[in-house]
Amino acid sequence: MKKIKAAHSLIPVLGFLLIWEIVVRLGLIPGNFFFPPFTVVIQEFYHLTANGVLIDNFLSSLIRVLIGLFAGSTAGIAVGILMGYEEKIHKVAHPIFSLFYPIPALGWLPILMLWFGIGEILPIMIIFICSFFPVLYNTVTGIKSVNKDFIKTARSLGASEWKVLTTVVIPLALPNIFTGLRLEAGMAWRVIIAAEMVAIPTGIGALLMRAESLLRVDIIIVCLIVLAVMCLIFENFFIFLEYKLTHKWRQHA
Amino acid sequence: MPEIRLKSINNFILKNANLQIRDKEFLVLWGKTGAGKTTLLNVVAGLAEYKGSVLFDGIAVDELSVRQRKISYLFQNLNLFPHLNVRENIGYGLWMRGESKKAIHSRVDEMLDLTDIEHLAGCYPQKLSGGEKQRVALARAMAPCFKIMLFDEPLNSLDFHTARFIRKEIYRLQKKSGITVVYVTHCFEEVFALADRIAVLNNGEIIQVDCPVNIFQENNCRAVSEKGYCDCHSEEKNKSTDLELKHTGVLCHSKNG
């Protein structure tokens, strides 16, 4: 059944690609746009993969995203749990984080370039900032929204504060925590591409910029497709993880 | 054991509350909404702040946390953990106290059998009916084998027949295991079906403590009827009292409490 549903959602995509191919081949694109047919993009994808250019740049971006996302999410969850569970910490930390939260991740780029220079630390720091705040606030919301009666009940049944946190509060906050992770998994890719386009000479974003200077629209489209696919994969990974961890008790909720 | 004694308890609701609950007694706290019944339970459990002293078997427990007081507490809204199935919910208290897996499994099986919900062991609370949830909460509260149990209007949300069945179960389990029970209710029928004695609360004060017969009989119920809890002179309720007392075998231990 699931396979049939997946196949159904593929039909519109295949239809779009077919229309793209036909429209370009028949010369129906108006003006002087550089717009290659889909089959040419596929050929270029093959060439870039075969000569290793795409894989090298992709791996550079992937490693940055994985390290930055892992560090930012872990820190966001840890600080979020502390802020959500301990009102005193929330009172102190919330005003400070509220000041930094509205700043877009890319807004930090100039100051981070000055502090850390052009290197691997820079994109990782950008991803860290990009993922830290949303995961933090979703975790705080999740922890705070746990019904206080459950906490009272757990205590009355003999749970220590640590056990209350690990056996009741965190499991019940998981749906909110995963909302933050899911949103940021895709956002991390969007941000890394932008950072690489502006400031870093390697990665998918840098490849995009080089293709632009050579007027290679086919390479640009290959890079955009890779970006779209990676966003989807990362977001779906967290959807899958959330399902595995919570579906048993949430399916009847 | 254990006997519970409250000495001069004062807090945001209770006013100089003094109460002695005997070993293995089924004491019902009775009164209007806002009278302080739940607060009194929370004081016994250690979940509410108070001035005064709570003693279990003569030993002050004021400095002990709810965890250290070793009390089973069945909350009004049951609070079954939604992320744990029935078996895990019932075993939670044992797990938190570091019991072995084998001991937890065996005790949970015993409680599932006792409350007649073996078939629900793998279900999650969202899938259960009101009566089934009630039984799971009862089993969870009783699983750690504590000698004091607190019930806060546990049958409120149930239909008449289920409530009557669960009430009988509670009565049977209390008599069988010989625990001391403090039970909050508004329900007249529950009072007569369960109570050894009743403590009547009004505006944070304990205004009368006695057995059901003495509380509701014509010459003794003035304090209750003056506060408007019931019409004790009603012929129907007197008949009901007799029937319930006969039905449950509740006896009056002492006229003056």
Side-chain angles (χ1 to χ4, degrees):
Chain A
M1 198 64 192
K2 276 182 184 172
K3 281 180 184 171
I4 292 170
K5 275 186 182 173
H8 279 175
S9 62
L10 268 181
I11 291 171
V13 177
L14 293 174
F16 169 76
L17 296 176
L18 189 65
I19 292 166
W20 171 3
E21 183 72 20
I22 293 167
V23 165
V24 177
R25 292 278 177 199
L26 293 176
L28 298 176
I29 300 289
N32 296 319
F33 289 110
F34 298 106
F35 204 83
F38 180 65
T39 45
V40 172
V41 173
I42 293 293
Q43 280 170 22
E44 193 50 41
F45 175 80
Y46 173 74
H47 289 141
L48 287 171
T49 310
N51 63 24
V53 172
L54 186 64
I55 290 174
D56 286 347
N57 284 288
F58 169 71
L59 285 177
S60 296
S61 297
L62 178 68
I63 290 167
R64 289 165 189 156
V65 169
L66 285 176
I67 295 174
L69 189 62
F70 177 76
S73 304
T74 308
I77 290 171
V79 179
I81 288 170
L82 286 174
M83 280 175 67
Y85 199 59
E86 277 299 328
E87 193 52 36
K88 284 175 190 166
I89 297 176
H90 186 262
K91 274 183 183 166
V92 173
H94 179 66
I96 300 167
F97 288 133
S98 298
L99 272 178
F100 292 114
Y101 183 42
I103 301 171
L106 287 173
W108 293 93
L109 199 56
I111 199 169
L112 291 177
M113 282 169 76
L114 288 173
W115 285 348
F116 299 106
I118 306 290
E120 285 304 319
I121 295 289
L122 180 65
I124 290 171
M125 282 302 291
I126 292 286
I127 300 292
F128 178 92
I129 293 167
C130 162
S131 44
F132 175 76
F133 288 105
V135 172
L136 169 83
Y137 277 100
N138 276 286
T139 305
V140 171
T141 308
I143 298 285
K144 280 192 170 291
S145 65
V146 172
N147 189 339
K148 297 289 175 285
D149 286 344
F150 290 134
I151 296 173
K152 205 162 75 173
T153 304
R155 283 181 186 144
S156 82
L157 286 164
S160 62
E161 285 309 302
W162 174 249
K163 285 286 186 186
V164 170
L165 190 65
T166 53
T167 62
V168 175
V169 178
I170 295 175
L172 290 175
L174 276 182
N176 279 82
I177 295 173
F178 272 108
T179 302
L181 287 171
R182 205 170 58 230
L183 292 173
E184 287 325 300
M187 188 55 78
W189 276 97
R190 292 173 198 119
V191 168
I192 192 70
I193 297 297
E196 287 169 347
M197 285 168 77
V198 177
I200 303 145
T202 57
I204 295 288
L207 182 61
L208 261 173
M209 289 311 284
R210 286 204 297 277
E212 186 266 343
S213 65
L214 297 169
L215 303 178
R216 293 292 302 272
V217 178
D218 49 351
I219 297 179
I220 293 174
I221 294 175
V222 167
C223 292
L224 294 178
I225 290 173
V226 169
L227 171 65
V229 170
M230 288 317 292
C231 283
L232 268 177
I233 289 174
F234 269 57
E235 283 173 6
N236 279 292
F237 168 73
F238 284 110
I239 290 171
F240 172 76
L241 205 59
E242 180 183 5
Y243 174 80
K244 279 287 165 197
L245 290 174
T246 67
H247 84 283
K248 275 186 184 171
W249 59 275
R250 291 181 77 199
Q251 61 187 345
H252 301 294
Chain B
M1 74 170 242
E3 173 200 78
I4 306 166
R5 184 170 286 194
L6 306 182
K7 278 186 177 174
S8 308
I9 300 294
N10 286 282
N11 66 5
F12 56 101
I13 291 185
L14 298 171
K15 296 166 194 161
N16 196 31
N18 289 287
L19 183 63
Q20 184 183 355
I21 305 159
R22 300 179 192 122
D23 176 30
K24 295 175 188 170
E25 183 174 32
F26 203 118
L27 182 100
V28 169
L29 297 178
W30 204 58
K32 285 179 187 172
T33 303
K37 306 182 295 293
T38 300
T39 308
L40 192 73
L41 278 195
N42 287 338
V43 165
V44 175
L47 288 167
E49 289 184 359
Y50 59 90
K51 285 177 182 168
S53 195
V54 178
L55 300 104
F56 293 168
D57 286 331
I59 300 163
V61 293
D62 307 308
E63 299 304 318
L64 301 184
S65 67
V66 56
R67 181 171 184 249
Q68 292 163 324
R69 291 192 187 193
K70 296 188 176 175
I71 282 174
S72 297
Y73 195 154
L74 185 52
F75 294 90
Q76 189 173 357
N77 43 4
L78 306 179
N79 302 332
L80 294 178
F81 300 126
H83 60 296
L84 302 179
N85 64 27
V86 167
R87 175 173 282 283
E88 291 163 341
N89 260 290
I90 296 173
Y92 187 84
L94 302 163
W95 177 33
M96 290 304 110
R97 290 178 192 280
E99 299 280 346
S100 69
K101 275 188 180 175
K102 199 179 168 188
I104 295 172
H105 198 273
S106 136
R107 178 68 180 154
V108 170
D109 279 345
E110 200 181 313
M111 294 314 298
L112 285 168
D113 180 46
L114 198 69
T115 46
D116 199 21
I117 48 171
E118 297 102 322
H119 58 293
L120 301 172
C123 295
Y124 283 81
Q126 294 86 338
K127 214 182 168 187
L128 306 179
S129 70
E132 288 167 342
K133 282 180 186 171
Q134 211 86 36
R135 288 186 212 188
V136 176
L138 182 65
R140 183 178 67 175
M142 296 191 76
C145 285
F146 294 141
K147 293 292 176 192
I148 298 172
M149 265 203 89
L150 311 177
F151 290 89
D152 190 3
E153 302 187 46
L155 310 181
N156 243 11
S157 54
L158 296 180
D159 65 85
F160 177 79
H161 292 291
T162 314
R164 174 168 270 191
F165 178 77
I166 301 275
R167 190 166 57 234
K168 282 182 184 168
E169 284 295 299
I170 290 172
Y171 186 80
R172 186 175 64 80
L173 292 172
Q174 192 260 339
K175 293 300 164 203
K176 189 179 167 190
S177 50
I179 52 179
T180 305
V181 171
V182 188
Y183 188 102
V184 166
T185 185
H186 291 291
C187 176
F188 191 77
E189 193 182 348
E190 279 177 37
V191 171
F192 281 103
L194 297 170
D196 291 330
R197 285 191 307 154
I198 304 169
V200 185
L201 279 99
N202 183 49
N203 289 332
E205 285 180 79
I206 297 172
I207 55 173
Q208 196 170 358
V209 183
D210 214 330
C211 63
V213 175
N214 289 345
I215 291 266
F216 293 106
Q217 268 181 0
E218 196 166 348
N219 295 330
N220 298 317
C221 67
R222 207 159 292 146
V224 178
S225 58
E226 275 170 9
K227 300 294 178 187
Y229 292 117
C230 69
D231 174 13
C232 295
H233 305 286
S234 152
E235 207 173 296
E236 261 182 48
K237 278 190 179 164
N238 281 332
K239 272 184 196 166
S240 160
T241 306
D242 294 341
L243 280 172
E244 288 287 349
L245 289 171
K246 274 180 198 165
H247 176 69
T248 58
V250 171
L251 296 172
C252 182
H253 295 295
S254 152
K255 242 186 167 181
N256 301 315

